[in-house]
Amino acid sequence: MLDVHEGHRGLEIGTGTGWNAGLLAHVAGPANVTTVEVDPALAREAGERPRKEGVTAAVVPGDEAEGYADNAPYDRLVATCSVRSVPHPWVDQVKPGGVILTPWESPWVATSWAAVDWDGKSDDRFTVWQHGPRRLWDEVAAAHAWWLLHDRPGPERFGLTVTAKGESAWLDTPDRPVPVAG
């Protein structure tokens, strides 16, 4: 889904073990990849792992939400952490027409919760508890019904458009908005 090619400049957010940065460097070229990790010790370790395999990428300790402007602009940005809002430094650091790939989740209210208990005997006997200002299980049921209605789309069919005014999730094309609870 990132659609990275040789020569693309890439930024990874959330280095972790360095595996994804190594894969990006293998495809785009080692001089074209930067990865940011908030934990300095993890960043140091991750910088050593790919080098042992002969693949290098610039590993930078820092605030992942800030990206890394020093090596911008990037053609591709991939984040391994989910966000509720795409940080604007990421948008600013990716070239127009570039790709940002990140797990995105809609905002939620921290006091709300839902629990489901299966009776263990049949496929359709569940007890549901939910509390708080949002009816989370009702939202799950509505999202599942929408997903079924739209032929069970996979992640490759979804997109997110980010502008200065906010974000909008869509299915297949930007003119087909996805209902987002919130």
Side-chain angles (χ1 to χ4, degrees), residues 1 146-160 169-174 176 178:
M1 290 170 53
W146 182 92
W147 180 73
L148 291 173
L149 182 67
H150 290 85
D151 300 321
R152 302 173 180 217
E156 71 283 353
R157 291 184 54 200
F158 289 91
L160 182 70
W170 45 267
L171 178 66
D172 298 324
T173 62
R176 294 187 61 200
V178 172

Side-chain angles (χ1 to χ4, degrees), residues 41-150:
L42 192 56
R44 191 170 40 258
E45 291 174 22
E48 295 169 6
R49 281 190 195 102
R51 280 190 202 99
K52 291 177 184 174
E53 301 298 322
V55 178
T56 58
V59 181
V60 179
D63 182 351
E64 292 149 334
E66 294 299 318
Y68 192 68
D70 289 1
N71 290 347
Y74 303 100
D75 298 288
R76 302 291 188 262
L77 182 151
V78 60
T80 58
C81 56
S82 65
V83 296
R84 292 194 182 113
S85 179
V86 176
H88 279 281
W90 296 3
V91 176
D92 293 340
Q93 293 170 24
V94 173
K95 294 177 182 178
V99 173
I100 297 175
L101 179 61
T102 184
W104 181 76
E105 58 185 74
S106 63
W108 60 286
V109 179
T111 59
S112 297
W113 61 267
V116 180
D117 187 20
W118 177 46
D119 75 353
K121 298 177 185 171
S122 67
D123 288 342
D124 61 350
R125 301 251 341 233
F126 299 90
T127 302
V128 176
W129 297 272
Q130 49 187 341
H131 181 73
R134 290 186 52 195
R135 309 307 288 171
L136 295 179
W137 185 254
D138 295 346
E139 291 179 21
V140 168
H144 184 256
W146 182 92
W147 180 73
L148 291 173
L149 182 67
H150 290 85

